[in-house]
Amino acid sequence: MSLIPKKGTVYVVDDDEAVRDSLQWLLEGKDYRVKCFDSAESFLARFDPREVACLIADIRMDGMSGLELQDRLLERRSPLPIVFITGHGDVPMAVTTMKKGAMDFIEKPFKEEELVSLVERMLDQARQAFSQHQEQASRDALLARLTTRESQVLERIVAGRLNKQIADDLGISIKTVEAHRANIMEKLNANTVADLLKIALGAHGKA
């Protein structure tokens, strides 16, 4: 049985111990799992991208700043939702983080209700992103079962090509195309062409 609270994990990255302790006390009291780090470097070394979580980070820290931490996560294509803690005069910097995808920023001293509301919004987003990632991984695993020729046939099915056109494109017989189609349907667990399209288009992004 998992001991992780249902509400999810909140990472706190701040070089101020008092702020870390305050946030941990507040959020654990609301049934969140809280993991605190005193630097962006230590967080990056231990961050688990497979965890449904969100991040609260100070924008100004010794060593790597919150802005630099956000850039590192963007380089990793991490969907981790972020909210930044800012001091006076940091608002222009915080606006920059939002342009890069941060959900919001809160100014010190922050209101507890405002922070908890933001955390819940971030975790909702994290759950959606995690679910989408899992679905994508499942589709990728199915598509990886196809041979190169089957992938070529599937690509043309998705493009709306008929069996005869696919046969002409690939220099094979219609019967061979039909055999490939049957194999593709079986390997992808698809019962209809619509099922096939959902798997293929989902894996290549929506147009």
Side-chain angles (χ1 to χ4, degrees):
M1 185 175 70
S2 174
L3 297 178
I4 299 174
K6 292 179 182 178
K7 284 190 173 183
T9 298
V10 182
Y11 292 113
V12 175
V13 181
D14 198 307
D15 56 5
D16 186 328
E17 185 178 4
V19 172
R20 294 196 306 274
D21 289 346
S22 173
L23 287 170
Q24 185 163 13
W25 178 84
L26 168 65
L27 294 169
E28 286 184 344
K30 300 291 185 181
D31 199 28
Y32 296 104
R33 186 184 190 200
V34 182
K35 295 182 179 180
C36 294
F37 300 88
D38 60 5
S39 70
E41 291 87 347
S42 61
F43 164 72
L44 285 171
R46 296 171 61 188
F47 163 53
D48 183 355
R50 297 165 299 178
E51 193 165 25
V52 177
C54 64
L55 169 64
I56 300 172
D58 194 357
I59 207 162
R60 287 185 186 274
M61 293 182 283
D62 290 335
M64 188 185 298
S65 69
L67 269 172
E68 291 171 318
L69 171 57
Q70 184 183 27
D71 287 340
R72 292 290 180 87
L73 290 170
L74 287 172
E75 287 170 9
R76 296 185 183 188
R77 297 185 178 180
S78 168
L80 187 70
I82 307 172
V83 63
F84 284 100
I85 300 172
T86 66
H88 297 299
D90 288 340
V91 172
M93 197 183 302
V95 170
T96 299
T97 70
M98 292 188 70
K99 288 179 179 177
K100 291 183 177 181
M103 280 194 70
D104 212 333
F105 63 90
I106 49 175
E107 291 186 84
K108 299 175 184 177
F110 48 81
K111 297 176 182 176
E112 291 185 3
E113 299 82 3
E114 179 185 358
L115 178 65
V116 172
S117 176
L118 274 173
V119 165
E120 195 51 50
R121 279 171 47 207
M122 287 196 291
L123 285 172
D124 281 343
Q125 179 175 308
R127 290 183 198 105
Q128 292 174 16
F130 185 77
S131 176
Q132 290 168 359
H133 175 76
Q134 292 290 88
E135 289 173 8
Q136 183 66 58
S138 296
R139 287 192 292 261
D140 288 345
L142 286 174
L143 289 167
R145 299 168 65 186
L146 302 181
T147 65
T148 301
R149 180 62 88 192
E150 287 165 352
S151 296
Q152 292 169 341
V153 171
L154 176 59
E155 184 181 328
R156 285 160 176 79
I157 293 172
V158 171
R161 306 285 283 170
L162 302 175
N163 283 357
K164 184 178 185 308
Q165 293 171 317
I166 296 173
D168 290 342
D169 289 346
L170 300 177
I172 57 180
S173 70
I174 293 177
K175 283 190 175 181
T176 302
V177 173
E178 290 171 347
H180 283 315
R181 284 185 77 125
N183 288 339
I184 292 167
M185 298 286 280
E186 183 179 351
K187 287 182 178 181
L188 300 187
N189 299 325
N191 296 316
T192 66
V193 174
D195 291 340
L196 205 62
L197 292 176
K198 286 177 186 175
I199 295 169
L201 292 175
H204 295 98
K206 295 180 181 178

